[in-house]
mmCIF file of all heavy atoms in Angstrom:
data_model
loop_
_atom_site.group_PDB
_atom_site.id
_atom_site.type_symbol
_atom_site.label_atom_id
_atom_site.label_comp_id
_atom_site.label_asym_id
_atom_site.label_seq_id
_atom_site.Cartn_x
_atom_site.Cartn_y
_atom_site.Cartn_z
ATOM 1 N N LYS A 344 -7.394 18.627 10.797
ATOM 2 C CA LYS A 344 -8.512 19.330 11.454
ATOM 3 C C LYS A 344 -8.879 18.650 12.782
ATOM 4 O O LYS A 344 -9.169 19.317 13.769
ATOM 5 C CB LYS A 344 -9.724 19.295 10.514
ATOM 6 C CG LYS A 344 -10.730 20.398 10.764
ATOM 7 C CD LYS A 344 -11.659 20.490 9.577
ATOM 8 C CE LYS A 344 -13.026 20.936 10.032
ATOM 9 N NZ LYS A 344 -14.054 20.604 9.054
ATOM 10 N N ARG A 345 -8.779 17.327 12.816
ATOM 11 C CA ARG A 345 -9.140 16.585 14.040
ATOM 12 C C ARG A 345 -7.939 16.413 14.970
ATOM 13 O O ARG A 345 -8.040 15.798 16.020
ATOM 14 C CB ARG A 345 -9.681 15.192 13.663
ATOM 15 C CG ARG A 345 -10.991 15.245 12.903
ATOM 16 C CD ARG A 345 -11.422 13.867 12.406
ATOM 17 N NE ARG A 345 -11.726 12.982 13.513
ATOM 18 C CZ ARG A 345 -11.264 11.744 13.638
ATOM 19 N NH1 ARG A 345 -10.479 11.227 12.717
ATOM 20 N NH2 ARG A 345 -11.582 11.016 14.689
ATOM 21 N N LYS A 346 -6.788 16.913 14.528
ATOM 22 C CA LYS A 346 -5.527 16.799 15.279
ATOM 23 C C LYS A 346 -5.192 15.349 15.607
ATOM 24 O O LYS A 346 -4.624 15.043 16.655
ATOM 25 C CB LYS A 346 -5.576 17.633 16.570
ATOM 26 C CG LYS A 346 -5.690 19.131 16.319
ATOM 27 C CD LYS A 346 -5.428 19.873 17.622
ATOM 28 C CE LYS A 346 -5.422 21.364 17.495
ATOM 29 N NZ LYS A 346 -6.648 21.980 17.019
ATOM 30 N N LYS A 347 -5.556 14.448 14.724
ATOM 31 C CA LYS A 347 -5.110 13.055 14.875
ATOM 32 C C LYS A 347 -5.242 12.298 13.561
ATOM 33 O O LYS A 347 -6.085 12.635 12.729
ATOM 34 C CB LYS A 347 -5.840 12.343 16.002
ATOM 35 C CG LYS A 347 -7.303 12.159 15.864
ATOM 36 C CD LYS A 347 -7.781 11.318 17.038
ATOM 37 C CE LYS A 347 -9.285 11.118 16.954
ATOM 38 N NZ LYS A 347 -9.816 10.307 17.987
ATOM 39 N N GLY A 348 -4.391 11.295 13.433
ATOM 40 C CA GLY A 348 -4.419 10.505 12.215
ATOM 41 C C GLY A 348 -3.080 9.827 12.026
ATOM 42 O O GLY A 348 -2.092 10.173 12.672
ATOM 43 N N HIS A 349 -3.081 8.864 11.147
ATOM 44 C CA HIS A 349 -1.868 8.069 10.927
ATOM 45 C C HIS A 349 -1.854 7.637 9.456
ATOM 46 O O HIS A 349 -2.812 7.030 8.985
ATOM 47 C CB HIS A 349 -1.906 6.844 11.856
ATOM 48 C CG HIS A 349 -0.639 6.069 11.918
ATOM 49 N ND1 HIS A 349 -0.448 5.034 12.802
ATOM 50 C CD2 HIS A 349 0.504 6.134 11.208
ATOM 51 C CE1 HIS A 349 0.769 4.522 12.631
ATOM 52 N NE2 HIS A 349 1.356 5.174 11.668
ATOM 53 N N ILE A 350 -0.787 7.975 8.773
ATOM 54 C CA ILE A 350 -0.620 7.485 7.401
ATOM 55 C C ILE A 350 0.447 6.397 7.405
ATOM 56 O O ILE A 350 1.535 6.593 7.953
ATOM 57 C CB ILE A 350 -0.215 8.615 6.431
ATOM 58 C CG1 ILE A 350 -1.358 9.635 6.316
ATOM 59 C CG2 ILE A 350 0.119 8.045 5.051
ATOM 60 C CD1 ILE A 350 -1.159 10.697 5.246
ATOM 61 N N ILE A 351 0.095 5.261 6.798
ATOM 62 C CA ILE A 351 1.071 4.172 6.668
ATOM 63 C C ILE A 351 1.260 3.916 5.163
ATOM 64 O O ILE A 351 0.321 3.500 4.471
ATOM 65 C CB ILE A 351 0.599 2.897 7.398
ATOM 66 C CG1 ILE A 351 0.275 3.225 8.876
ATOM 67 C CG2 ILE A 351 1.680 1.796 7.291
ATOM 68 C CD1 ILE A 351 -0.360 2.097 9.663
ATOM 69 N N ASN A 352 2.452 4.251 4.686
ATOM 70 C CA ASN A 352 2.758 4.038 3.272
ATOM 71 C C ASN A 352 3.357 2.647 3.069
ATOM 72 O O ASN A 352 4.100 2.160 3.932
ATOM 73 C CB ASN A 352 3.754 5.094 2.782
ATOM 74 C CG ASN A 352 3.142 6.489 2.754
ATOM 75 O OD1 ASN A 352 1.933 6.647 2.542
ATOM 76 N ND2 ASN A 352 3.955 7.506 2.978
ATOM 77 N N ILE A 353 3.038 2.040 1.945
ATOM 78 C CA ILE A 353 3.715 0.790 1.587
ATOM 79 C C ILE A 353 4.809 1.157 0.577
ATOM 80 O O ILE A 353 4.522 1.499 -0.577
ATOM 81 C CB ILE A 353 2.741 -0.263 0.986
ATOM 82 C CG1 ILE A 353 1.553 -0.533 1.944
ATOM 83 C CG2 ILE A 353 3.506 -1.558 0.690
ATOM 84 C CD1 ILE A 353 1.917 -1.065 3.329
ATOM 85 N N GLY A 354 6.043 1.160 1.088
ATOM 86 C CA GLY A 354 7.198 1.442 0.227
ATOM 87 C C GLY A 354 7.738 0.133 -0.312
ATOM 88 O O GLY A 354 6.969 -0.756 -0.689
ATOM 89 N N SER A 355 9.041 -0.016 -0.295
ATOM 90 C CA SER A 355 9.659 -1.253 -0.784
ATOM 91 C C SER A 355 11.160 -1.200 -0.512
ATOM 92 O O SER A 355 11.733 -0.105 -0.400
ATOM 93 C CB SER A 355 9.448 -1.371 -2.297
ATOM 94 O OG SER A 355 10.218 -2.421 -2.843
ATOM 95 N N ILE A 356 11.780 -2.371 -0.481
ATOM 96 C CA ILE A 356 13.247 -2.351 -0.465
ATOM 97 C C ILE A 356 13.755 -1.712 -1.763
ATOM 98 O O ILE A 356 14.866 -1.206 -1.808
ATOM 99 C CB ILE A 356 13.889 -3.746 -0.261
ATOM 100 C CG1 ILE A 356 13.422 -4.731 -1.327
ATOM 101 C CG2 ILE A 356 13.610 -4.296 1.130
ATOM 102 C CD1 ILE A 356 14.322 -5.955 -1.426
ATOM 103 N N ALA A 357 12.901 -1.720 -2.792
ATOM 104 C CA ALA A 357 13.255 -1.063 -4.068
ATOM 105 C C ALA A 357 13.409 0.455 -3.899
ATOM 106 O O ALA A 357 13.932 1.118 -4.782
ATOM 107 C CB ALA A 357 12.205 -1.367 -5.124
ATOM 108 N N GLY A 358 12.967 0.972 -2.772
ATOM 109 C CA GLY A 358 13.119 2.394 -2.462
ATOM 110 C C GLY A 358 14.341 2.691 -1.615
ATOM 111 O O GLY A 358 14.560 3.827 -1.181
ATOM 112 N N HIS A 359 15.128 1.640 -1.351
ATOM 113 C CA HIS A 359 16.344 1.811 -0.544
ATOM 114 C C HIS A 359 17.604 1.556 -1.364
ATOM 115 O O HIS A 359 18.640 2.140 -1.099
ATOM 116 C CB HIS A 359 16.307 0.882 0.676
ATOM 117 C CG HIS A 359 15.227 1.261 1.635
ATOM 118 N ND1 HIS A 359 15.428 2.129 2.693
ATOM 119 C CD2 HIS A 359 13.912 0.942 1.670
ATOM 120 C CE1 HIS A 359 14.283 2.297 3.343
ATOM 121 N NE2 HIS A 359 13.352 1.587 2.740
ATOM 122 N N SER A 360 17.507 0.612 -2.318
ATOM 123 C CA SER A 360 18.641 0.450 -3.233
ATOM 124 C C SER A 360 18.109 0.025 -4.599
ATOM 125 O O SER A 360 17.090 -0.681 -4.691
ATOM 126 C CB SER A 360 19.662 -0.551 -2.700
ATOM 127 O OG SER A 360 19.039 -1.776 -2.449
ATOM 128 N N VAL A 361 18.815 0.491 -5.623
ATOM 129 C CA VAL A 361 18.364 0.150 -6.978
ATOM 130 C C VAL A 361 18.927 -1.208 -7.380
ATOM 131 O O VAL A 361 19.914 -1.662 -6.817
ATOM 132 C CB VAL A 361 18.803 1.212 -8.023
ATOM 133 C CG1 VAL A 361 18.065 2.519 -7.820
ATOM 134 C CG2 VAL A 361 20.308 1.427 -7.994
#
Side-chain angles (χ1 to χ4, degrees):
K344 203 165 148 200
R345 294 174 65 229
K346 295 192 176 60
K347 64 175 179 178
H349 190 173
I350 295 188
I351 305 173
N352 292 329
I353 305 300
S355 170
I356 57 163
H359 293 269
S360 56
V361 291

